[in-house]
Amino acid sequence: MAIDLGIDLGTANSLVVLRGKGIVVSEPSVVGLDRRSQKVLKVGNEAFEMAGKTPENIVVIRPLKSGVIADDYTTEIMLKYLITKAKAHAGFSLFPQRLRVVVGVPTGATPVERRAVEEACRNAGARDVWLVQEPLAAAIGAGLPVTEARGNMIVDIGGGTTEAAVFSLGGLVSWKSVPVAGDAFTERIIEFVKGEFNLFIGERTAETIKVNIGSAYPLDKAQMEVTGRDLLTGLPKRITISSDAVREAFRELLNTVVDTVKETLENTPPELIADVMETGFYISGGGSLLKGLDRLLSERTGVPVHMVEDPLTAVARGAGILAGNARLLKEISST
């Protein structure tokens, strides 16, 4: 027998879709590594729980950066972990005769980076490996008519990259990718709190701030108490941060996302622009959940903006659909 898997190998989180069962794995893209022996200790959820709590000889790392492989060894270990867990859901104790894997990759991935992903999948047990651009996978996962002769646009904002793309007849017509997405907003909060309050906070605290009071557009005012380490005294310190301050800290990053969308639209043929203006464009990915982002993009571009259903899983769902549809997979791959 054979099993078909769709994988969203994300900078922040990785998801695996098993044909016929939906999403069977969803875990952080992190690996716990012993610095001395280079032995991988934990992967995914268990590694994430180690973050910030490890002794000096153990480090928790992300094998991917801006959506592409930054460390071959740990990425291969993580892929083996993901595929093994998905295989268990399929009810196989051994690898089947054929394991087909479709992986979403950034549109700007180089041939070398694409080969690294393919080789890591093969070394993890996959026999057939297909790579698809993440915006296209997200569009398929969102149910957009990717093979029709009309313009459709999606902006996929993940953990490491923001990718805006216009496609028609199963292929990308214009696109732009920038290394600014969810992780950059989290890092900006850490920098802002350090510079404004002389307070050091961790990644988890910054992520909580982003989710609770972060926004891209002026909404209801909100505040949040935050505890960290005072950089002057080294002692614990508590401050109150406002949603307005966080949004102001995001200004430059938001401008980059808006400019990415604008440049993609500017490079799109007039006939397809008319289609996009009529139907609007869609946003997906975890970064698209930033409050008010859809409103900001619509106001700054003059185009209606829609959030796809379950934006966190769109790429994985699209890859899963392709893994189980050989005809569509070949049609997409031939464009």
Side-chain angles (χ1 to χ4, degrees), residues 182-207:
D183 288 350
F185 285 91
T186 302
E187 291 165 6
R188 182 67 190 94
I189 290 174
I190 295 174
E191 295 168 0
F192 171 74
V193 171
K194 184 184 294 184
E196 191 74 13
F197 301 99
N198 285 318
L199 189 74
F200 177 74
I201 60 173
E203 185 177 330
R204 287 196 188 185
T205 300
E207 183 73 20

mmCIF file with all atom_site columns, all heavy atoms in Angstrom, residues 182-207:
data_model
loop_
_atom_site.group_PDB
_atom_site.id
_atom_site.type_symbol
_atom_site.label_atom_id
_atom_site.label_alt_id
_atom_site.label_comp_id
_atom_site.label_asym_id
_atom_site.label_entity_id
_atom_site.label_seq_id
_atom_site.pdbx_PDB_ins_code
_atom_site.Cartn_x
_atom_site.Cartn_y
_atom_site.Cartn_z
_atom_site.occupancy
_atom_site.B_iso_or_equiv
_atom_site.pdbx_formal_charge
_atom_site.auth_seq_id
_atom_site.auth_comp_id
_atom_site.auth_asym_id
_atom_site.auth_atom_id
_atom_site.pdbx_PDB_model_num
ATOM 1   N N   . GLY A 1 182 ? 5.492  36.511 11.140 1.00 0.00 ? 182 GLY A N   1
ATOM 2   C CA  . GLY A 1 182 ? 5.148  36.410 12.558 1.00 0.00 ? 182 GLY A CA  1
ATOM 3   C C   . GLY A 1 182 ? 6.325  36.497 13.504 1.00 0.00 ? 182 GLY A C   1
ATOM 4   O O   . GLY A 1 182 ? 6.261  37.186 14.530 1.00 0.00 ? 182 GLY A O   1
ATOM 5   N N   . ASP A 1 183 ? 7.421  35.794 13.176 1.00 0.00 ? 183 ASP A N   1
ATOM 6   C CA  . ASP A 1 183 ? 8.595  35.813 14.058 1.00 0.00 ? 183 ASP A CA  1
ATOM 7   C C   . ASP A 1 183 ? 9.186  37.208 14.179 1.00 0.00 ? 183 ASP A C   1
ATOM 8   O O   . ASP A 1 183 ? 9.654  37.612 15.245 1.00 0.00 ? 183 ASP A O   1
ATOM 9   C CB  . ASP A 1 183 ? 9.661  34.855 13.534 1.00 0.00 ? 183 ASP A CB  1
ATOM 10  C CG  . ASP A 1 183 ? 9.281  33.402 13.720 1.00 0.00 ? 183 ASP A CG  1
ATOM 11  O OD1 . ASP A 1 183 ? 8.286  33.139 14.423 1.00 0.00 ? 183 ASP A OD1 1
ATOM 12  O OD2 . ASP A 1 183 ? 9.966  32.530 13.161 1.00 0.00 ? 183 ASP A OD2 1
ATOM 13  N N   . ALA A 1 184 ? 9.195  37.950 13.071 1.00 0.00 ? 184 ALA A N   1
ATOM 14  C CA  . ALA A 1 184 ? 9.762  39.305 13.091 1.00 0.00 ? 184 ALA A CA  1
ATOM 15  C C   . ALA A 1 184 ? 8.959  40.215 14.013 1.00 0.00 ? 184 ALA A C   1
ATOM 16  O O   . ALA A 1 184 ? 9.528  41.067 14.708 1.00 0.00 ? 184 ALA A O   1
ATOM 17  C CB  . ALA A 1 184 ? 9.798  39.877 11.675 1.00 0.00 ? 184 ALA A CB  1
ATOM 18  N N   . PHE A 1 185 ? 7.637  40.045 14.039 1.00 0.00 ? 185 PHE A N   1
ATOM 19  C CA  . PHE A 1 185 ? 6.796  40.854 14.929 1.00 0.00 ? 185 PHE A CA  1
ATOM 20  C C   . PHE A 1 185 ? 7.077  40.499 16.394 1.00 0.00 ? 185 PHE A C   1
ATOM 21  O O   . PHE A 1 185 ? 7.117  41.378 17.256 1.00 0.00 ? 185 PHE A O   1
ATOM 22  C CB  . PHE A 1 185 ? 5.323  40.644 14.587 1.00 0.00 ? 185 PHE A CB  1
ATOM 23  C CG  . PHE A 1 185 ? 4.880  41.347 13.337 1.00 0.00 ? 185 PHE A CG  1
ATOM 24  C CD1 . PHE A 1 185 ? 4.940  40.712 12.108 1.00 0.00 ? 185 PHE A CD1 1
ATOM 25  C CD2 . PHE A 1 185 ? 4.424  42.665 13.384 1.00 0.00 ? 185 PHE A CD2 1
ATOM 26  C CE1 . PHE A 1 185 ? 4.547  41.357 10.949 1.00 0.00 ? 185 PHE A CE1 1
ATOM 27  C CE2 . PHE A 1 185 ? 4.024  43.322 12.230 1.00 0.00 ? 185 PHE A CE2 1
ATOM 28  C CZ  . PHE A 1 185 ? 4.096  42.671 11.008 1.00 0.00 ? 185 PHE A CZ  1
ATOM 29  N N   . THR A 1 186 ? 7.271  39.211 16.664 1.00 0.00 ? 186 THR A N   1
ATOM 30  C CA  . THR A 1 186 ? 7.596  38.787 18.031 1.00 0.00 ? 186 THR A CA  1
ATOM 31  C C   . THR A 1 186 ? 8.945  39.358 18.469 1.00 0.00 ? 186 THR A C   1
ATOM 32  O O   . THR A 1 186 ? 9.088  39.879 19.578 1.00 0.00 ? 186 THR A O   1
ATOM 33  C CB  . THR A 1 186 ? 7.637  37.247 18.112 1.00 0.00 ? 186 THR A CB  1
ATOM 34  O OG1 . THR A 1 186 ? 6.370  36.717 17.711 1.00 0.00 ? 186 THR A OG1 1
ATOM 35  C CG2 . THR A 1 186 ? 7.943  36.787 19.522 1.00 0.00 ? 186 THR A CG2 1
ATOM 36  N N   . GLU A 1 187 ? 9.945  39.280 17.588 1.00 0.00 ? 187 GLU A N   1
ATOM 37  C CA  . GLU A 1 187 ? 11.272 39.814 17.904 1.00 0.00 ? 187 GLU A CA  1
ATOM 38  C C   . GLU A 1 187 ? 11.232 41.324 18.103 1.00 0.00 ? 187 GLU A C   1
ATOM 39  O O   . GLU A 1 187 ? 11.962 41.867 18.936 1.00 0.00 ? 187 GLU A O   1
ATOM 40  C CB  . GLU A 1 187 ? 12.244 39.447 16.785 1.00 0.00 ? 187 GLU A CB  1
ATOM 41  C CG  . GLU A 1 187 ? 12.559 37.964 16.709 1.00 0.00 ? 187 GLU A CG  1
ATOM 42  C CD  . GLU A 1 187 ? 13.224 37.556 15.407 1.00 0.00 ? 187 GLU A CD  1
ATOM 43  O OE1 . GLU A 1 187 ? 13.543 38.476 14.613 1.00 0.00 ? 187 GLU A OE1 1
ATOM 44  O OE2 . GLU A 1 187 ? 13.408 36.353 15.173 1.00 0.00 ? 187 GLU A OE2 1
ATOM 45  N N   . ARG A 1 188 ? 10.370 41.986 17.323 1.00 0.00 ? 188 ARG A N   1
ATOM 46  C CA  . ARG A 1 188 ? 10.266 43.445 17.460 1.00 0.00 ? 188 ARG A CA  1
ATOM 47  C C   . ARG A 1 188 ? 9.727  43.828 18.831 1.00 0.00 ? 188 ARG A C   1
ATOM 48  O O   . ARG A 1 188 ? 10.144 44.849 19.403 1.00 0.00 ? 188 ARG A O   1
ATOM 49  C CB  . ARG A 1 188 ? 9.347  43.991 16.349 1.00 0.00 ? 188 ARG A CB  1
ATOM 50  C CG  . ARG A 1 188 ? 9.208  45.503 16.380 1.00 0.00 ? 188 ARG A CG  1
ATOM 51  C CD  . ARG A 1 188 ? 10.515 46.188 16.029 1.00 0.00 ? 188 ARG A CD  1
ATOM 52  N NE  . ARG A 1 188 ? 10.494 47.618 16.267 1.00 0.00 ? 188 ARG A NE  1
ATOM 53  C CZ  . ARG A 1 188 ? 10.915 48.218 17.367 1.00 0.00 ? 188 ARG A CZ  1
ATOM 54  N NH1 . ARG A 1 188 ? 11.413 47.491 18.366 1.00 0.00 ? 188 ARG A NH1 1
ATOM 55  N NH2 . ARG A 1 188 ? 10.856 49.529 17.494 1.00 0.00 ? 188 ARG A NH2 1
ATOM 56  N N   . ILE A 1 189 ? 8.828  43.028 19.378 1.00 0.00 ? 189 ILE A N   1
ATOM 57  C CA  . ILE A 1 189 ? 8.307  43.305 20.723 1.00 0.00 ? 189 ILE A CA  1
ATOM 58  C C   . ILE A 1 189 ? 9.426  43.191 21.751 1.00 0.00 ? 189 ILE A C   1
ATOM 59  O O   . ILE A 1 189 ? 9.547  44.032 22.657 1.00 0.00 ? 189 ILE A O   1
ATOM 60  C CB  . ILE A 1 189 ? 7.148  42.341 21.063 1.00 0.00 ? 189 ILE A CB  1
ATOM 61  C CG1 . ILE A 1 189 ? 5.918  42.676 20.214 1.00 0.00 ? 189 ILE A CG1 1
ATOM 62  C CG2 . ILE A 1 189 ? 6.796  42.433 22.550 1.00 0.00 ? 189 ILE A CG2 1
ATOM 63  C CD1 . ILE A 1 189 ? 4.771  41.704 20.379 1.00 0.00 ? 189 ILE A CD1 1
ATOM 64  N N   . ILE A 1 190 ? 10.262 42.164 21.621 1.00 0.00 ? 190 ILE A N   1
ATOM 65  C CA  . ILE A 1 190 ? 11.381 41.989 22.550 1.00 0.00 ? 190 ILE A CA  1
ATOM 66  C C   . ILE A 1 190 ? 12.308 43.203 22.492 1.00 0.00 ? 190 ILE A C   1
ATOM 67  O O   . ILE A 1 190 ? 12.723 43.741 23.533 1.00 0.00 ? 190 ILE A O   1
ATOM 68  C CB  . ILE A 1 190 ? 12.158 40.696 22.207 1.00 0.00 ? 190 ILE A CB  1
ATOM 69  C CG1 . ILE A 1 190 ? 11.273 39.473 22.435 1.00 0.00 ? 190 ILE A CG1 1
ATOM 70  C CG2 . ILE A 1 190 ? 13.441 40.602 23.040 1.00 0.00 ? 190 ILE A CG2 1
ATOM 71  C CD1 . ILE A 1 190 ? 11.908 38.164 21.985 1.00 0.00 ? 190 ILE A CD1 1
ATOM 72  N N   . GLU A 1 191 ? 12.618 43.656 21.273 1.00 0.00 ? 191 GLU A N   1
ATOM 73  C CA  . GLU A 1 191 ? 13.493 44.821 21.103 1.00 0.00 ? 191 GLU A CA  1
ATOM 74  C C   . GLU A 1 191 ? 12.853 46.081 21.671 1.00 0.00 ? 191 GLU A C   1
ATOM 75  O O   . GLU A 1 191 ? 13.522 46.895 22.319 1.00 0.00 ? 191 GLU A O   1
ATOM 76  C CB  . GLU A 1 191 ? 13.788 45.030 19.617 1.00 0.00 ? 191 GLU A CB  1
ATOM 77  C CG  . GLU A 1 191 ? 14.586 43.905 18.971 1.00 0.00 ? 191 GLU A CG  1
ATOM 78  C CD  . GLU A 1 191 ? 14.612 44.013 17.460 1.00 0.00 ? 191 GLU A CD  1
ATOM 79  O OE1 . GLU A 1 191 ? 14.001 44.975 16.932 1.00 0.00 ? 191 GLU A OE1 1
ATOM 80  O OE2 . GLU A 1 191 ? 15.217 43.155 16.808 1.00 0.00 ? 191 GLU A OE2 1
ATOM 81  N N   . PHE A 1 192 ? 11.553 46.238 21.416 1.00 0.00 ? 192 PHE A N   1
ATOM 82  C CA  . PHE A 1 192 ? 10.850 47.430 21.888 1.00 0.00 ? 192 PHE A CA  1
ATOM 83  C C   . PHE A 1 192 ? 10.837 47.503 23.413 1.00 0.00 ? 192 PHE A C   1
ATOM 84  O O   . PHE A 1 192 ? 11.118 48.555 24.001 1.00 0.00 ? 192 PHE A O   1
ATOM 85  C CB  . PHE A 1 192 ? 9.416  47.423 21.345 1.00 0.00 ? 192 PHE A CB  1
ATOM 86  C CG  . PHE A 1 192 ? 8.535  48.486 21.939 1.00 0.00 ? 192 PHE A CG  1
ATOM 87  C CD1 . PHE A 1 192 ? 8.670  49.812 21.570 1.00 0.00 ? 192 PHE A CD1 1
ATOM 88  C CD2 . PHE A 1 192 ? 7.584  48.151 22.891 1.00 0.00 ? 192 PHE A CD2 1
ATOM 89  C CE1 . PHE A 1 192 ? 7.862  50.800 22.128 1.00 0.00 ? 192 PHE A CE1 1
ATOM 90  C CE2 . PHE A 1 192 ? 6.768  49.129 23.460 1.00 0.00 ? 192 PHE A CE2 1
ATOM 91  C CZ  . PHE A 1 192 ? 6.911  50.458 23.077 1.00 0.00 ? 192 PHE A CZ  1
ATOM 92  N N   . VAL A 1 193 ? 10.503 46.404 24.067 1.00 0.00 ? 193 VAL A N   1
ATOM 93  C CA  . VAL A 1 193 ? 10.441 46.381 25.536 1.00 0.00 ? 193 VAL A CA  1
ATOM 94  C C   . VAL A 1 193 ? 11.824 46.628 26.127 1.00 0.00 ? 193 VAL A C   1
ATOM 95  O O   . VAL A 1 193 ? 11.973 47.327 27.135 1.00 0.00 ? 193 VAL A O   1
ATOM 96  C CB  . VAL A 1 193 ? 9.854  45.038 26.024 1.00 0.00 ? 193 VAL A CB  1
ATOM 97  C CG1 . VAL A 1 193 ? 9.983  44.918 27.538 1.00 0.00 ? 193 VAL A CG1 1
ATOM 98  C CG2 . VAL A 1 193 ? 8.404  44.902 25.600 1.00 0.00 ? 193 VAL A CG2 1
ATOM 99  N N   . LYS A 1 194 ? 12.845 46.081 25.472 1.00 0.00 ? 194 LYS A N   1
ATOM 100 C CA  . LYS A 1 194 ? 14.216 46.286 25.957 1.00 0.00 ? 194 LYS A CA  1
ATOM 101 C C   . LYS A 1 194 ? 14.612 47.755 25.830 1.00 0.00 ? 194 LYS A C   1
ATOM 102 O O   . LYS A 1 194 ? 15.194 48.342 26.754 1.00 0.00 ? 194 LYS A O   1
ATOM 103 C CB  . LYS A 1 194 ? 15.180 45.414 25.157 1.00 0.00 ? 194 LYS A CB  1
ATOM 104 C CG  . LYS A 1 194 ? 16.625 45.480 25.634 1.00 0.00 ? 194 LYS A CG  1
ATOM 105 C CD  . LYS A 1 194 ? 17.544 44.663 24.733 1.00 0.00 ? 194 LYS A CD  1
ATOM 106 C CE  . LYS A 1 194 ? 17.218 43.182 24.825 1.00 0.00 ? 194 LYS A CE  1
ATOM 107 N NZ  . LYS A 1 194 ? 18.171 42.364 24.008 1.00 0.00 ? 194 LYS A NZ  1
ATOM 108 N N   . GLY A 1 195 ? 14.321 48.366 24.686 1.00 0.00 ? 195 GLY A N   1
ATOM 109 C CA  . GLY A 1 195 ? 14.719 49.751 24.467 1.00 0.00 ? 195 GLY A CA  1
ATOM 110 C C   . GLY A 1 195 ? 13.892 50.758 25.238 1.00 0.00 ? 195 GLY A C   1
ATOM 111 O O   . GLY A 1 195 ? 14.408 51.779 25.705 1.00 0.00 ? 195 GLY A O   1
ATOM 112 N N   . GLU A 1 196 ? 12.600 50.480 25.377 1.00 0.00 ? 196 GLU A N   1
ATOM 113 C CA  . GLU A 1 196 ? 11.685 51.437 26.012 1.00 0.00 ? 196 GLU A CA  1
ATOM 114 C C   . GLU A 1 196 ? 11.662 51.324 27.533 1.00 0.00 ? 196 GLU A C   1
ATOM 115 O O   . GLU A 1 196 ? 11.528 52.322 28.246 1.00 0.00 ? 196 GLU A O   1
ATOM 116 C CB  . GLU A 1 196 ? 10.275 51.207 25.464 1.00 0.00 ? 196 GLU A CB  1
ATOM 117 C CG  . GLU A 1 196 ? 9.260  52.283 25.827 1.00 0.00 ? 196 GLU A CG  1
ATOM 118 C CD  . GLU A 1 196 ? 9.469  53.564 25.041 1.00 0.00 ? 196 GLU A CD  1
ATOM 119 O OE1 . GLU A 1 196 ? 10.230 53.541 24.044 1.00 0.00 ? 196 GLU A OE1 1
ATOM 120 O OE2 . GLU A 1 196 ? 8.873  54.580 25.427 1.00 0.00 ? 196 GLU A OE2 1
ATOM 121 N N   . PHE A 1 197 ? 11.805 50.094 28.047 1.00 0.00 ? 197 PHE A N   1
ATOM 122 C CA  . PHE A 1 197 ? 11.638 49.873 29.485 1.00 0.00 ? 197 PHE A CA  1
ATOM 123 C C   . PHE A 1 197 ? 12.868 49.264 30.156 1.00 0.00 ? 197 PHE A C   1
ATOM 124 O O   . PHE A 1 197 ? 12.826 48.966 31.354 1.00 0.00 ? 197 PHE A O   1
ATOM 125 C CB  . PHE A 1 197 ? 10.437 48.947 29.740 1.00 0.00 ? 197 PHE A CB  1
ATOM 126 C CG  . PHE A 1 197 ? 9.132  49.463 29.208 1.00 0.00 ? 197 PHE A CG  1
ATOM 127 C CD1 . PHE A 1 197 ? 8.640  49.008 27.991 1.00 0.00 ? 197 PHE A CD1 1
ATOM 128 C CD2 . PHE A 1 197 ? 8.401  50.410 29.910 1.00 0.00 ? 197 PHE A CD2 1
ATOM 129 C CE1 . PHE A 1 197 ? 7.424  49.475 27.494 1.00 0.00 ? 197 PHE A CE1 1
ATOM 130 C CE2 . PHE A 1 197 ? 7.199  50.881 29.433 1.00 0.00 ? 197 PHE A CE2 1
ATOM 131 C CZ  . PHE A 1 197 ? 6.705  50.419 28.212 1.00 0.00 ? 197 PHE A CZ  1
ATOM 132 N N   . ASN A 1 198 ? 13.964 49.065 29.414 1.00 0.00 ? 198 ASN A N   1
ATOM 133 C CA  . ASN A 1 198 ? 15.151 48.399 29.968 1.00 0.00 ? 198 ASN A CA  1
ATOM 134 C C   . ASN A 1 198 ? 14.788 47.060 30.591 1.00 0.00 ? 198 ASN A C   1
ATOM 135 O O   . ASN A 1 198 ? 15.269 46.692 31.678 1.00 0.00 ? 198 ASN A O   1
ATOM 136 C CB  . ASN A 1 198 ? 15.850 49.279 31.016 1.00 0.00 ? 198 ASN A CB  1
ATOM 137 C CG  . ASN A 1 198 ? 16.622 50.411 30.389 1.00 0.00 ? 198 ASN A CG  1
ATOM 138 O OD1 . ASN A 1 198 ? 17.294 50.212 29.375 1.00 0.00 ? 198 ASN A OD1 1
ATOM 139 N ND2 . ASN A 1 198 ? 16.521 51.599 30.958 1.00 0.00 ? 198 ASN A ND2 1
ATOM 140 N N   . LEU A 1 199 ? 13.908 46.349 29.925 1.00 0.00 ? 199 LEU A N   1
ATOM 141 C CA  . LEU A 1 199 ? 13.400 45.085 30.450 1.00 0.00 ? 199 LEU A CA  1
ATOM 142 C C   . LEU A 1 199 ? 13.630 43.978 29.431 1.00 0.00 ? 199 LEU A C   1
ATOM 143 O O   . LEU A 1 199 ? 13.334 44.145 28.238 1.00 0.00 ? 199 LEU A O   1
ATOM 144 C CB  . LEU A 1 199 ? 11.899 45.204 30.745 1.00 0.00 ? 199 LEU A CB  1
ATOM 145 C CG  . LEU A 1 199 ? 11.257 44.037 31.500 1.00 0.00 ? 199 LEU A CG  1
ATOM 146 C CD1 . LEU A 1 199 ? 11.680 44.079 32.969 1.00 0.00 ? 199 LEU A CD1 1
ATOM 147 C CD2 . LEU A 1 199 ? 9.736  44.098 31.406 1.00 0.00 ? 199 LEU A CD2 1
ATOM 148 N N   . PHE A 1 200 ? 14.166 42.858 29.893 1.00 0.00 ? 200 PHE A N   1
ATOM 149 C CA  . PHE A 1 200 ? 14.364 41.720 29.002 1.00 0.00 ? 200 PHE A CA  1
ATOM 150 C C   . PHE A 1 200 ? 13.234 40.721 29.204 1.00 0.00 ? 200 PHE A C   1
ATOM 151 O O   . PHE A 1 200 ? 12.966 40.279 30.325 1.00 0.00 ? 200 PHE A O   1
ATOM 152 C CB  . PHE A 1 200 ? 15.703 41.039 29.273 1.00 0.00 ? 200 PHE A CB  1
ATOM 153 C CG  . PHE A 1 200 ? 15.918 39.816 28.416 1.00 0.00 ? 200 PHE A CG  1
ATOM 154 C CD1 . PHE A 1 200 ? 16.226 39.951 27.077 1.00 0.00 ? 200 PHE A CD1 1
ATOM 155 C CD2 . PHE A 1 200 ? 15.778 38.550 28.959 1.00 0.00 ? 200 PHE A CD2 1
ATOM 156 C CE1 . PHE A 1 200 ? 16.406 38.835 26.277 1.00 0.00 ? 200 PHE A CE1 1
ATOM 157 C CE2 . PHE A 1 200 ? 15.960 37.424 28.163 1.00 0.00 ? 200 PHE A CE2 1
ATOM 158 C CZ  . PHE A 1 200 ? 16.281 37.563 26.822 1.00 0.00 ? 200 PHE A CZ  1
ATOM 159 N N   . ILE A 1 201 ? 12.554 40.379 28.107 1.00 0.00 ? 201 ILE A N   1
ATOM 160 C CA  . ILE A 1 201 ? 11.507 39.367 28.158 1.00 0.00 ? 201 ILE A CA  1
ATOM 161 C C   . ILE A 1 201 ? 11.839 38.259 27.163 1.00 0.00 ? 201 ILE A C   1
ATOM 162 O O   . ILE A 1 201 ? 12.582 38.467 26.213 1.00 0.00 ? 201 ILE A O   1
ATOM 163 C CB  . ILE A 1 201 ? 10.111 39.955 27.825 1.00 0.00 ? 201 ILE A CB  1
ATOM 164 C CG1 . ILE A 1 201 ? 10.100 40.568 26.423 1.00 0.00 ? 201 ILE A CG1 1
ATOM 165 C CG2 . ILE A 1 201 ? 9.684  40.961 28.882 1.00 0.00 ? 201 ILE A CG2 1
ATOM 166 C CD1 . ILE A 1 201 ? 8.723  41.016 25.953 1.00 0.00 ? 201 ILE A CD1 1
ATOM 167 N N   . GLY A 1 202 ? 11.285 37.081 27.388 1.00 0.00 ? 202 GLY A N   1
ATOM 168 C CA  . GLY A 1 202 ? 11.544 35.951 26.521 1.00 0.00 ? 202 GLY A CA  1
ATOM 169 C C   . GLY A 1 202 ? 10.593 35.903 25.341 1.00 0.00 ? 202 GLY A C   1
ATOM 170 O O   . GLY A 1 202 ? 9.632  36.675 25.238 1.00 0.00 ? 202 GLY A O   1
ATOM 171 N N   . GLU A 1 203 ? 10.862 34.955 24.453 1.00 0.00 ? 203 GLU A N   1
ATOM 172 C CA  . GLU A 1 203 ? 10.068 34.818 23.231 1.00 0.00 ? 203 GLU A CA  1
ATOM 173 C C   . GLU A 1 203 ? 8.611  34.474 23.532 1.00 0.00 ? 203 GLU A C   1
ATOM 174 O O   . GLU A 1 203 ? 7.697  34.974 22.892 1.00 0.00 ? 203 GLU A O   1
ATOM 175 C CB  . GLU A 1 203 ? 10.693 33.739 22.348 1.00 0.00 ? 203 GLU A CB  1
ATOM 176 C CG  . GLU A 1 203 ? 10.032 33.589 20.996 1.00 0.00 ? 203 GLU A CG  1
ATOM 177 C CD  . GLU A 1 203 ? 10.721 32.561 20.126 1.00 0.00 ? 203 GLU A CD  1
ATOM 178 O OE1 . GLU A 1 203 ? 11.948 32.384 20.266 1.00 0.00 ? 203 GLU A OE1 1
ATOM 179 O OE2 . GLU A 1 203 ? 10.026 31.918 19.310 1.00 0.00 ? 203 GLU A OE2 1
ATOM 180 N N   . ARG A 1 204 ? 8.403  33.625 24.535 1.00 0.00 ? 204 ARG A N   1
ATOM 181 C CA  . ARG A 1 204 ? 7.025  33.238 24.855 1.00 0.00 ? 204 ARG A CA  1
ATOM 182 C C   . ARG A 1 204 ? 6.209  34.424 25.352 1.00 0.00 ? 204 ARG A C   1
ATOM 183 O O   . ARG A 1 204 ? 5.041  34.578 24.997 1.00 0.00 ? 204 ARG A O   1
ATOM 184 C CB  . ARG A 1 204 ? 7.024  32.133 25.914 1.00 0.00 ? 204 ARG A CB  1
ATOM 185 C CG  . ARG A 1 204 ? 7.466  30.783 25.405 1.00 0.00 ? 204 ARG A CG  1
ATOM 186 C CD  . ARG A 1 204 ? 7.068  29.710 26.386 1.00 0.00 ? 204 ARG A CD  1
ATOM 187 N NE  . ARG A 1 204 ? 7.622  28.419 26.032 1.00 0.00 ? 204 ARG A NE  1
ATOM 188 C CZ  . ARG A 1 204 ? 7.346  27.291 26.678 1.00 0.00 ? 204 ARG A CZ  1
ATOM 189 N NH1 . ARG A 1 204 ? 6.522  27.325 27.704 1.00 0.00 ? 204 ARG A NH1 1
ATOM 190 N NH2 . ARG A 1 204 ? 7.872  26.147 26.302 1.00 0.00 ? 204 ARG A NH2 1
ATOM 191 N N   . THR A 1 205 ? 6.831  35.256 26.197 1.00 0.00 ? 205 THR A N   1
ATOM 192 C CA  . THR A 1 205 ? 6.133  36.440 26.705 1.00 0.00 ? 205 THR A CA  1
ATOM 193 C C   . THR A 1 205 ? 5.818  37.393 25.569 1.00 0.00 ? 205 THR A C   1
ATOM 194 O O   . THR A 1 205 ? 4.715  37.950 25.488 1.00 0.00 ? 205 THR A O   1
ATOM 195 C CB  . THR A 1 205 ? 6.999  37.151 27.764 1.00 0.00 ? 205 THR A CB  1
ATOM 196 O OG1 . THR A 1 205 ? 7.251  36.260 28.845 1.00 0.00 ? 205 THR A OG1 1
ATOM 197 C CG2 . THR A 1 205 ? 6.284  38.393 28.292 1.00 0.00 ? 205 THR A CG2 1
ATOM 198 N N   . ALA A 1 206 ? 6.777  37.585 24.670 1.00 0.00 ? 206 ALA A N   1
ATOM 199 C CA  . ALA A 1 206 ? 6.557  38.473 23.523 1.00 0.00 ? 206 ALA A CA  1
ATOM 200 C C   . ALA A 1 206 ? 5.431  37.946 22.636 1.00 0.00 ? 206 ALA A C   1
ATOM 201 O O   . ALA A 1 206 ? 4.606  38.716 22.127 1.00 0.00 ? 206 ALA A O   1
ATOM 202 C CB  . ALA A 1 206 ? 7.845  38.623 22.719 1.00 0.00 ? 206 ALA A CB  1
ATOM 203 N N   . GLU A 1 207 ? 5.389  36.645 22.446 1.00 0.00 ? 207 GLU A N   1
ATOM 204 C CA  . GLU A 1 207 ? 4.326  36.031 21.639 1.00 0.00 ? 207 GLU A CA  1
ATOM 205 C C   . GLU A 1 207 ? 2.961  36.265 22.283 1.00 0.00 ? 207 GLU A C   1
ATOM 206 O O   . GLU A 1 207 ? 1.971  36.558 21.603 1.00 0.00 ? 207 GLU A O   1
ATOM 207 C CB  . GLU A 1 207 ? 4.587  34.532 21.486 1.00 0.00 ? 207 GLU A CB  1
ATOM 208 C CG  . GLU A 1 207 ? 3.607  33.794 20.606 1.00 0.00 ? 207 GLU A CG  1
ATOM 209 C CD  . GLU A 1 207 ? 3.784  34.089 19.129 1.00 0.00 ? 207 GLU A CD  1
ATOM 210 O OE1 . GLU A 1 207 ? 4.873  34.558 18.745 1.00 0.00 ? 207 GLU A OE1 1
ATOM 211 O OE2 . GLU A 1 207 ? 2.835  33.855 18.365 1.00 0.00 ? 207 GLU A OE2 1
#
